[in-house]
Amino acid sequence: MSGFLSSRHRSGHCPAPGRPRVSPPARSVLSCSCGPLSPDRGCGLYEARAACKGTAVESRACCHICTGCTKDTHERKADSMDQAGPRVAIIGAGIAGLSCAARLRAAGIWPVVFEKSRGIGGRTATRRAQALRFDHGAQYVTAKGPGFAMYLGRAITAGHASRWGAPALGRHVGLPGMSGLAQPLADGVEIRFGTEIRAARHGPDGWTLSTDDGPLADRFDRLVCTCPAPQALRLFPDLGGALAHVEMAPCWALMLALDTPMPHLPDAEKLSEGPLSFVARNASKPARDPGPETWVIHASPDWSRAHLELEKETVRDLLAQAFAAHAGQAPAIAHATAHRWRFAMVTRPLGQPFLSARDGHLLLGGDWALGPRVEAAFDSGHAMAKALIG
Ligand SMILES: Cc1cc2nc3c(=O)[nH]c(=O)nc-3n(C[C@H](O)[C@H](O)[C@H](O)COP(=O)(O)OP(=O)(O)OC[C@H]3O[C@@H](n4cnc5c(N)ncnc54)[C@H](O)[C@@H]3O)c2cc1C
């Protein structure tokens, strides 16, 4: 167990005052903001978690061990110390990153996923605002191929997804929000939230990843990058040729809660003209919270591009006006927020499931490789895992 503790310590995610950025060698005392823990105390992970109860922990990123461990994941992580395969790091806990991680895990390889936000799902997203919840990114999924269809079937059986709308449409949503769709992929996977990778360097001892706080102590044999292509290009500017081919369109999203419902509108409407591209009664999705009627309104790619740099409040008001025009009446708005997706949908994909670089030590993928759909992200992640497993 002490080896496990040391390994967690090497992760560099329990910063104690004055501690060097790159951690001391294995078997050193584990310390974090909750106090020192030593390997001879047995299962430090559980004790750390227990010690945290009732203690203020600033954020998940502050102490991964104290906030992220369950008995199940702990035991599986402990098992992972014996893994024989390559050490794999994955950037991004969206559908592509997690489908890659889940496939690797099934093959006995235990990757570490680095995610800059505080949750899973990426653009398959659910936003909380007070007691309200909105699916402000992907609205629904459809399955065209057997791999994603099988996954969706399992997610439905496990209560993480459900049909939305007429069966003939084949639309499904995550439960209790769209991000729930990613949950089965994330189970048992080590994810370090609140960790934005700023640089990645490949050297003789493998990949070193850096955050704003400096290099992480871990080393990895293979790196999988699943952020949108323009963001991947910032990490790997020398891959400009292939990545620059990919084009992505933005999308402004408006989240509304209404004091008075609008029953004359359909639950979901795709629009091909004007400023709006999709209008959805969020509240009509299964297992959503009761309360005021919630709506998510997406602006078209052209409109979003033309208004990309406006303030959120300005866009909120413009889109609320556009929604009123669409509905034929002014909505009684109880809550309104706008969200800018700078890289929402790929309009010119790579045309293959992923990109391989650095002699196969770096794989880059995501929806942008295959198409603007959750299923494309899932397939890309799977393809990268298959390539790593060999
Ligand atoms: C407004 C909107 C509507 C959509 N509607 C639909 C729809 O109805 N149906 C459908 O099928 N698809 C839809 N999509 C597309 C769908 O959401 C995407 O295809 C899919 O979610 C992409 O998954 P991904 O894993 O490839 O990328 P992402 O979901 O973008 O995941 C990438 C992850 O990487 C993280 N990340 C990025 N950079 C770093 C870094 N440097 N360090 C650490 N982490 C990092 C991000 O936080 C993110 O979690 C929609 C998208 C948007 C935005």
Side-chain angles (χ1 to χ4, degrees):
M1 189 53 62
S2 58
F4 179 58
L5 281 171
S6 302
S7 162
R8 305 295 309 138
H9 192 197
R10 280 200 304 275
S11 75
H13 275 263
C14 270
R19 213 194 73 188
R21 274 182 181 164
V22 176
S23 314
R27 306 187 75 82
S28 60
V29 171
L30 177 71
S31 74
C32 72
S33 53
C34 309
L37 296 161
S38 70
D40 54 19
R41 282 174 60 187
C43 176
L45 210 59
Y46 276 122
E47 291 187 11
R49 188 169 169 74
C52 273
K53 282 191 179 142
T55 310
V57 175
E58 279 174 23
S59 70
R60 283 183 72 90
C62 165
C63 183
H64 175 74
I65 292 174
C66 305
T67 55
C69 180
T70 64
K71 184 172 190 299
D72 186 41
T73 55
H74 161 67
E75 284 170 353
R76 294 204 229 175
K77 282 182 209 161
D79 288 347
S80 76
M81 297 306 295
D82 301 328
Q83 77 169 29
R87 298 163 299 171
V88 179
I90 298 175
I91 302 176
I95 296 290
L98 291 179
S99 93
C100 181
R103 181 73 186 81
L104 290 175
R105 206 192 57 197
I109 297 171
W110 295 80
V112 180
V113 179
F114 296 92
E115 169 55 50
K116 68 179 177 184
S117 75
R118 286 178 298 163
I120 58 171
R123 280 171 280 154
T124 307
T126 305
R127 162 78 72 89
R128 282 175 185 274
Q130 296 136 29
L132 304 167
R133 268 193 287 202
F134 299 91
D135 298 330
H136 62 313
Q139 288 303 298
Y140 59 85
V141 296
T142 50
K144 294 183 178 170
F148 190 59
M150 196 181 298
Y151 174 71
L152 194 53
R154 285 208 311 268
I156 291 168
T157 306
H160 292 291
S162 183
R163 185 170 55 74
W164 179 44
L169 294 173
R171 293 176 176 174
H172 290 83
V173 295
L175 300 179
M178 278 304 281
S179 60
L181 201 60
Q183 191 56 56
L185 298 170
D187 284 343
V189 172
E190 180 175 356
I191 306 174
R192 300 193 194 163
F193 291 104
T195 309
E196 179 164 7
I197 301 304
R198 292 291 199 171
R201 190 181 55 79
H202 191 232
D205 55 346
W207 284 99
T208 305
L209 305 179
S210 298
T211 67
D212 279 341
D213 294 331
L216 301 177
D218 314 65
R219 295 291 176 273
F220 297 97
D221 303 310
R222 299 281 190 277
L223 177 61
V224 174
C225 178
T226 68
C227 34
Q231 292 173 334
L233 191 53
R234 274 183 229 146
L235 282 174
F236 306 102
D238 59 307
L239 300 181
L243 286 178
H245 164 87
V246 175
E247 283 179 4
M248 298 190 76
C251 178
W252 272 108
L254 174 67
M255 293 159 266
L256 287 181
L258 305 184
D259 281 330
T260 313
M262 294 187 125
H264 67 289
L265 293 178
D267 287 343
E269 230 177 325
K270 262 187 189 168
L271 306 166
S272 51
E273 285 179 4
L276 307 183
S277 64
F278 200 82
V279 176
R281 191 190 324 269
N282 196 79
S284 70
K285 294 180 178 179
R288 267 42 182 182
D289 303 320
E293 186 170 271
T294 48
W295 288 81
V296 171
I297 291 115
H298 285 158
S300 71
D302 284 347
W303 193 95
S304 299
R305 214 174 274 117
H307 298 81
L308 193 58
E309 303 305 337
L310 291 187
E311 295 294 324
K312 282 184 185 175
E313 292 70 23
T314 310
V315 170
R316 175 195 65 197
D317 296 346
L318 290 173
L319 287 181
Q321 285 166 21
F323 178 61
H326 168 74
Q329 69 181 69
I333 296 176
H335 169 94
T337 335
H339 178 85
R340 174 175 37 216
W341 293 102
R342 212 171 263 285
F343 307 112
M345 303 272 206
V346 61
T347 48
R348 190 167 67 183
L350 182 68
Q352 60 190 53
F354 61 89
L355 192 65
S356 176
R358 311 278 196 279
D359 294 327
H361 290 90
L362 170 63
L363 304 183
L364 304 104
D367 65 336
W368 54 267
L370 292 171
R373 298 174 59 241
V374 171
E375 182 172 19
F378 180 90
D379 288 345
S380 173
H382 241 216
M384 289 189 282
K386 273 177 77 177
L388 289 170
I389 294 162

